[in-house]
Amino acid sequence: MEPKQLTRAQCRAMVRIQLEIEDLDANVTDAWIDSLFDEFDEDGSGTIDDSEWDKLVAVLRARSKKASSGAAAEPESEKQLTRAQCRAMVRIQLEI
């Protein structure tokens, strides 16, 4: 099986979903995500592979703001995708 590769557009969508999952502010600009994409596209392929994605996700918490909901974040083991998040992630996976 070939490794997965996220395009820039897919990465934008996935970053926003990941921020929501992490209870972080997902109201970020495409330019902000593009700067992450450019930083973590280590091989300059124009896509983000699994290894590069893992590194990008690892820095999201440090570089983004907490969601302004005021609610306490759920423990890691209890986080679940909403139906909309699940649909969005499936659509992206089908494109890969």
Side-chain angles (χ1 to χ4, degrees):
M1 182 166 74
E2 282 188 45
K4 297 177 195 147
Q5 304 284 325
L6 292 174
T7 65
R8 189 174 294 268
Q10 291 168 329
C11 186
R12 288 175 184 157
M14 291 291 287
V15 164
R16 287 186 174 98
I17 293 167
Q18 188 67 39
L19 289 169
E20 288 176 8
I21 292 168
E22 296 291 328
D23 194 33
L24 299 168
D25 185 1
N27 187 24
V28 295
T29 65
D30 286 349
W32 186 81
I33 298 171
D34 287 347
S35 69
L36 288 173
F37 185 98
D38 293 337
E39 179 180 346
F40 288 95
D41 179 18
E42 296 171 344
D43 59 5
S45 66
T47 60
I48 296 290
D49 63 30
D50 289 336
S51 164
E52 293 166 337
W53 174 254
D54 291 342
K55 292 173 187 174
L56 188 153
V57 168
V59 303
L60 280 179
R61 183 169 291 279
R63 295 195 188 173
S64 59
K65 298 179 246 174
K66 273 300 231 181
S68 59
S69 66
E74 295 177 50
E76 191 68 31
S77 62
E78 295 180 24
K79 291 184 181 181
Q80 296 183 1
L81 294 174
T82 65
R83 188 178 300 246
Q85 290 168 329
C86 186
R87 283 188 196 129
M89 290 182 83
V90 167
R91 285 186 192 112
I92 293 165
Q93 289 294 320
L94 289 172
E95 292 175 5
I96 296 176

